């Protein structure tokens, strides 16, 4: 009797399940009443229609209905997985890359080509090294990309983008509409607000889920090492703090985020105690209770966030900090600094750090910080395979290097790498270090809020164009304020989407605005330098990435920098008050550039220019480092973030 009852119950249950599934499928594909509800629960393929103006979040599905969206249709971001089965072998130094499966985000748009819309939406935000697709033909037609892809229009093909050294970015999206003349900025801003803000503001900044596959190492969790790895996992409770970041982050918002991060961000709890932990905690207490500094001849108070805290922290760094430099690793990628060009910051720091006697210790047990002395530029030169459009072997090389360090020394695994730091100025450094080195303090030239830069942990590295390695301060300075006859100056290649807009509005439009493309070659780049020395304001417009050597160049030649690069974190932000000596303009305000600059009273301009001279010594390289110079400022930023993120085993 019992067996018959069970059999009857089972059959009834199976019939009920079958009928339920049939009803769901009928609702979904026939679009019967209430199909929106069922669709949002069970479907990731079709998009419901509706007049709602707010976003709804259902598990991993975010549904947005925006009245100003194209066609007034809603769209959704859904998490999907696709597998890559291609076996690729790259020439490398001592290892062969294994194929792996990779995850990516795809976007469904109402009756629209998914792959095209993914590439298009990526280009609507700040286009990174992992998201380049023919910026030369792209030319900021962001407001037309979605219409082109969704209307069945022609797909234009452009050559993959290149970094500033002339090498192509990995796996550049291939489709981009080709237009010569940039559209009005207002139309770009309109679509950017309606589309990208809806999509991208909901994406977690930390995961960067829409990255190109080529920048992903073989599929592994960021804290889960391989079977044969010597790297221990990091406890989940010590993951990065998820402080929400606006789509476009102003400098004042960055300052707030930085303060929040220093109050809340803590690194992984060490697996065993060390005297250095207590030394860091004591240093934090002393910095927080710094005595008031009234008059210091070396520190002009008005250019600092808090001159008292900076001075106390710097003094404690000089007194306390010890750095251990790993000797492992072969040249040219490790221990091989280069000292000229736009990526020279990482080389100069490496050279001066390895030669330093004051901070470097040979006893790793006394070290508060551990330096990983590799060059992101040399890594690219040595291992990038021309035409491969992939960085997997570069990422794997860094993973193997860290794995070797962790196997040979216990210090990485004590903190999960939180007391280790790297200094990388190449555009690709953030993507190449975001997984296996994500817990390290990363000093990056490409300091982009939307590309994984972590406030309170990462450091914005000044990008310095060094022309003379023997005398890096050659030609320092410029004309006096009264002899600066040009209102504004810019010259450069048409990298990225901002510069074409800048030239569209201002090239040959106004005699006061010296806005050019690439200048003709001159000996020692004399024309470019003379323009900087004789202009009041030097325009620092982003290229492919948010960073530009023009920021430091402007300071070098005593020209007030005008930074046009949304979401760029300026160097030494925890110390310097950038708004006190620079002008920061949103990209959307480029059409009003002259009005903004001429609205600055002459008295304020003179104050800005005077303060540029006061801050200048923080951005100068010296063959023998001096107090408060750029070497010490970079090291101080790393020290400061470590002090405020450190945690003891007993905390």
């Amino acid at each position: 009797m019992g067996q018959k009852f069970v059999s009857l119950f089972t059959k009834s249950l199976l019939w009920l399940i079958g009928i339920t599934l049939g009803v769901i499928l009928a609702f979904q594909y026939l679009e019967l009443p209430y199909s929106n509800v069922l669709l949002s629960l069970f479907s990731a393929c079709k998009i419901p229609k509706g007049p709602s103006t707010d976003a709804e979040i259902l598990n991993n599905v975010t549904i947005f209905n925006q009245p100003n969206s194209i066609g007034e249709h809603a769209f959704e971001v859904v998490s999907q997985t696709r597998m890559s089965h291609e076996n690729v072998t790259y020439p490398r130094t001592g290892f062969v890359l294994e194929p792996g499966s990779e995850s990516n985000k795809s976007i469904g748009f109402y009756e629209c080509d998914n792959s095209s819309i993914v590439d298009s939406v990526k280009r609507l935000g700040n286009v990174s090294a992992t998201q380049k697709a023919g910026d030369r033909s792209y030319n900021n037609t962001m407001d037309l990309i979605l219409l082109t892809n969704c209307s069945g229009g022609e797909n234009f093909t452009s050559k993959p983008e290149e970094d500033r050294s002339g090498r192509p970015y990995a796996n550049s999206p291939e489709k981009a509409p080709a237009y010569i003349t940039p559209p009005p900025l207002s139309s770009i801003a309109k679509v950017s607000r309606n589309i990208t803000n809806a999509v991208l503001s909901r994406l977690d900044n930390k995961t960067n889920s829409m990255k190109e596959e080529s920048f992903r190492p073989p599929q592994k969790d960021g804290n889960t090492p391989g079977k044969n790895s010597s790297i221990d996992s990091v406890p989940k409770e010590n993951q990065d703090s998820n402080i929400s970041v606006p789509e476009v982050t102003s400098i004042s918002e960055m300052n707030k985020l930085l303060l929040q991060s220093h109050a809340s961000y803590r690194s992984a709890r060490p697996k065993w105690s060390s005297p250095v932990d207590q030394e860091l905690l004591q240093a934090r207490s002393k910095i927080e209770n710094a005595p008031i500094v009234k008059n210091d001849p070396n520190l002009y108070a008005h250019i600092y966030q808090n001159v008292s805290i900076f001075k106390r922290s710097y003094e404690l760094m000089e007194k306390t900090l010890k750095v251990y430099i790993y000797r492992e690793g072969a040249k040219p990628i490790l221990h091989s600094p280069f000292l000229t060009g736009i990526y020279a910051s990482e080389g100069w720091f490496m050279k001066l750090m390895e030669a330093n006697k004051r901070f470097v210790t040979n006893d790793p047990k006394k070290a508060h910080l551990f330096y990983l002395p590799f060059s992101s530029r040399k890594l690219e030169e040595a291992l990038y395979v021309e035409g491969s459009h992939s960085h997997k072997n570069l990422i794997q090389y860094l993973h193997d290097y860290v794995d070797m360090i962790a196997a040979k020394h216990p210090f990485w695994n004590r903190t999960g790498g939180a007391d280790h730091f790297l200094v990388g100025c190449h555009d690709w450094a953030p993507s190449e270090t975001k997984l296996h080195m994500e817990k390290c303090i990363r000093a990056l030239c490409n300091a982009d809020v939307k590309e994984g830069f972590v406030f309170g942990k990462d450091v914005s590295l000044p990008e310095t164009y060094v022309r003379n390695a023997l005398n890096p301060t050659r030609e320092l300075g410029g004309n006096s304020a009264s002899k600066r006859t040009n209102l504004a100056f810019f010259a450069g290649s048409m990298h990225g989407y901002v510069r074409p807009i800048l030239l569209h509005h201002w090239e040959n439009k106004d005699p006061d605005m010296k806005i050019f493309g690439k200048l003709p070659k001159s000996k020692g780049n004399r024309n470019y330098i003379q323009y900087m020395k004789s202009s009041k304001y030097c325009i620092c417009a982003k290229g492919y990435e948010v960073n530009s050597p023009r920021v430091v160049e402007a300071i070098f030649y005593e020209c007030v920098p005008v930074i046009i690069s949304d979401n760029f974190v300026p160097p030494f932000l925890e110390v310097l008050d950038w708004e006190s000596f620079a002008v920061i303009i949103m990209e959307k305000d480029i059409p009003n550039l002259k009005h903004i600059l001429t609205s600055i009273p002459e008295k304020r301009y003179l104050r800005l220019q005077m303060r540029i001279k006061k801050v200048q010594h923080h951005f100068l390289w010296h063959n023998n480092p001096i107090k408060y110079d750029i070497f010490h400022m970079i090291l101080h930023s790393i020290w400061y973030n470590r002090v405020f993120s450190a945690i003891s085993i007993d905390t």
Side-chain angles (χ1 to χ4, degrees):
M1 182 67 181
Q3 292 179 349
K4 291 182 178 180
F5 177 81
V6 170
S7 176
L8 180 62
F9 177 80
T10 302
K11 291 180 180 179
S12 300
L13 182 61
L14 291 174
W15 273 104
L16 180 61
I17 293 173
I19 293 171
T20 302
L21 290 174
V23 171
I24 291 172
L25 292 174
F27 271 84
Q28 178 176 345
Y29 291 101
L30 297 179
E31 295 188 353
L32 297 175
Y34 305 106
S35 61
N36 287 354
V37 176
L38 292 170
L39 177 59
S40 62
L41 291 173
F42 298 103
S43 175
C45 301
K46 291 192 176 184
I47 307 301
K49 305 174 184 179
S52 172
T53 59
D54 297 323
E56 300 174 34
I57 301 177
L58 300 174
N59 296 328
N60 67 330
V61 181
T62 304
I63 302 176
F64 299 92
N65 286 340
Q66 298 237 357
N68 294 327
S69 298
I70 296 173
E72 296 189 1
H73 291 304
F75 60 97
E76 64 182 0
V77 180
V78 292
S79 176
Q80 296 181 347
T81 302
R82 63 188 182 188
M83 306 295 290
S84 173
H85 301 287
E86 182 181 3
N87 292 328
V88 184
T89 302
Y90 295 98
R92 290 193 314 219
T93 55
F95 53 82
V96 177
L97 181 64
E98 296 181 356
S101 61
E102 300 161 358
S103 63
N104 201 353
K105 295 271 187 178
S106 64
I107 293 181
F109 206 103
Y110 192 70
E111 295 182 355
C112 186
D113 177 47
N114 286 357
S115 62
S116 299
I117 203 68
V118 170
D119 296 341
S120 302
V121 171
K122 286 178 183 178
R123 290 193 293 274
L124 285 171
N126 283 334
V127 184
S128 71
T130 65
Q131 298 168 316
K132 297 294 189 295
D135 275 333
R136 295 179 183 85
S137 61
Y138 175 44
N139 283 349
N140 302 289
T141 52
M142 295 178 287
D143 55 335
L144 298 175
I145 290 174
L146 292 175
L147 289 172
T148 301
N149 285 329
C150 293
S151 62
E154 181 181 358
N155 287 322
F156 298 88
T157 302
S158 59
K159 61 185 276 189
E161 280 300 350
E162 300 171 345
D163 76 342
R164 288 173 289 174
S165 64
R167 296 177 183 270
Y169 285 102
N171 249 19
S172 300
E174 295 180 355
K175 297 177 181 179
Y179 296 95
I180 297 176
T181 304
L185 196 69
S186 58
S187 63
I188 296 173
K190 179 178 179 181
V191 173
S192 180
R193 285 193 298 272
N194 294 341
I195 304 299
T196 60
N197 286 356
V199 178
L200 300 179
S201 63
R202 292 291 182 179
L203 296 180
D204 184 358
N205 179 56
K206 177 171 173 285
T207 59
N208 291 304
S209 59
M210 298 182 72
K211 287 288 188 183
E212 288 297 326
E213 291 182 10
S214 62
F215 274 78
R216 296 177 184 233
Q219 183 72 12
K220 292 180 185 178
D221 182 85
N223 297 310
T224 305
K227 292 181 180 180
N228 299 321
S229 175
S230 300
I231 305 171
D232 292 348
S233 61
V234 178
K236 291 183 178 180
E237 63 269 21
N238 291 318
Q239 298 299 305
D240 295 350
S241 58
N242 291 316
I243 297 175
S244 60
V245 178
E247 180 58 30
V248 176
T249 310
S250 68
I251 190 69
S252 59
E253 289 168 333
M254 288 184 192
N255 286 322
K256 293 177 182 177
L257 289 169
L258 187 61
L259 290 174
Q260 292 176 29
S261 297
H262 280 146
S264 62
Y265 177 84
R266 295 295 178 266
S267 61
R269 191 183 304 277
K271 293 188 174 182
W272 62 87
S273 63
S274 170
V276 299
D277 298 332
Q278 291 303 318
E279 292 172 3
L280 291 171
L281 295 177
Q282 291 170 10
R284 183 194 306 169
S285 177
K286 292 177 180 178
I287 294 169
E288 291 172 338
N289 296 281
I292 301 298
V293 174
K294 294 184 178 179
N295 290 301
D296 188 310
N298 297 313
L299 302 174
Y300 184 69
H302 299 287
I303 63 173
Y304 300 99
Q305 302 276 11
N306 187 316
V307 68
S308 301
I309 285 180
F310 169 57
K311 183 177 181 180
R312 186 62 174 139
S313 177
Y314 191 97
E315 290 171 346
L316 288 168
M317 178 187 75
E318 289 184 314
K319 179 181 179 181
T320 308
L321 177 61
K322 294 299 176 187
V323 177
Y324 182 78
I325 303 175
Y326 288 109
R327 299 182 180 89
E328 292 80 5
K331 295 180 179 181
I333 297 174
L334 293 108
H335 310 287
S336 183
F338 64 98
L339 305 176
T340 58
I342 60 175
Y343 302 121
S345 290
E346 66 179 30
W348 273 88
F349 183 88
M350 183 190 297
K351 171 195 171 185
L352 299 178
M353 189 77 254
E354 292 193 320
N356 191 273
K357 304 297 183 184
R358 181 171 200 164
F359 297 110
V360 174
T361 178
N362 292 322
D363 185 355
K365 294 180 180 179
K366 295 180 179 179
H368 304 89
L369 289 165
F370 295 79
Y371 176 37
L372 303 170
F374 75 91
S375 164
S376 61
R377 174 61 168 151
K378 292 288 187 179
L379 177 71
E380 177 256 343
E381 285 184 344
L383 296 183
Y384 178 71
V385 180
E386 293 288 351
S388 69
H389 308 300
S390 175
H391 296 180
K392 291 181 180 179
N393 56 329
L394 283 70
I395 296 169
Q396 187 63 41
Y397 180 92
L398 293 179
H399 173 265
D400 290 353
Y401 170 64
V402 170
D403 194 36
M404 179 264 292
I405 291 294
K408 191 170 182 180
H409 304 277
F411 310 107
W412 176 279
N413 286 329
R414 190 181 86 87
T415 63
D419 53 359
H420 289 56
F421 73 93
L422 61 94
V423 177
C425 198
H426 195 276
D427 295 353
W428 302 347
S431 295
E432 292 165 351
T433 60
K434 73 172 185 176
L435 187 60
H436 304 300
M437 296 180 173
E438 67 168 342
K439 297 302 173 185
C440 295
I441 300 171
R442 302 181 305 162
L444 304 168
C445 287
N446 187 6
D448 190 341
V449 172
K450 306 306 289 186
E451 295 298 326
F453 184 92
V454 180
F455 285 101
K457 178 182 75 70
D458 293 334
V459 168
S460 178
L461 178 67
E463 183 174 4
T464 57
Y465 191 168
V466 178
R467 292 180 167 84
N468 190 316
L470 297 178
N471 183 12
T473 58
R474 184 179 176 181
E475 297 196 77
L476 179 67
N479 297 350
S480 63
S482 62
K483 294 182 179 180
R484 291 181 175 264
T485 55
N486 304 317
L487 176 64
F489 164 68
F490 172 84
S493 300
M494 291 299 97
H495 297 163
Y497 64 87
V498 169
R499 295 180 187 179
I501 298 177
L502 177 67
L503 266 67
H504 172 71
H505 285 283
W506 296 111
E507 185 181 28
N508 298 323
K509 300 289 173 52
D510 191 300
D512 294 332
M513 305 288 285
K514 305 299 183 183
I515 308 298
F516 310 107
K518 194 170 183 179
L519 291 175
K521 289 185 178 180
S522 59
K523 185 177 181 180
N525 212 14
R526 296 298 306 169
N527 292 339
Y528 180 88
I529 293 173
Q530 285 306 312
Y531 271 117
M532 278 207 157
K533 287 175 174 282
S534 59
S535 300
K536 289 185 174 181
Y537 299 97
C538 288
I539 310 302
C540 308
K542 67 176 288 185
Y544 293 135
E545 305 299 340
V546 293
N547 51 302
S548 168
R550 288 166 181 78
V551 177
V552 176
E553 281 183 321
I555 295 172
F556 191 91
Y557 298 119
E558 297 170 0
C559 180
V560 175
V562 179
I563 301 173
I564 307 178
S565 180
D566 291 353
N567 299 318
F568 171 55
V569 182
F572 316 139
L573 183 62
E574 69 285 344
V575 170
L576 298 178
D577 178 8
W578 277 83
E579 291 179 299
S580 72
F581 57 85
V583 178
I584 301 174
I585 295 178
M586 293 293 187
E587 294 167 10
K588 65 182 180 64
D589 293 326
I590 289 175
N592 300 320
L593 180 58
K594 183 177 181 181
H595 174 71
I596 292 171
L597 297 180
T598 55
S599 297
I600 298 173
E602 182 68 12
K603 185 177 180 180
R604 181 169 176 241
Y605 163 71
L606 293 174
R607 185 164 61 245
L608 290 170
Q609 213 254 348
M610 179 270 292
R611 290 177 177 177
I612 284 294
K613 296 179 181 180
K614 296 291 186 182
V615 80
Q616 188 184 65
H617 66 126
H618 292 317
F619 292 90
L620 301 180
W621 291 109
H622 302 279
N623 282 296
N624 296 307
I626 63 176
K627 191 168 186 174
Y628 298 129
D629 70 355
I630 189 171
F631 168 75
H632 287 101
M633 291 295 288
I634 295 169
L635 189 60
H636 173 266
S637 290
I638 297 167
W639 150 264
Y640 190 84
N641 279 1
R642 179 55 187 155
V643 165
F644 279 89
S645 64
I647 185 172
S648 72
I649 195 170
D650 300 323
T651 302

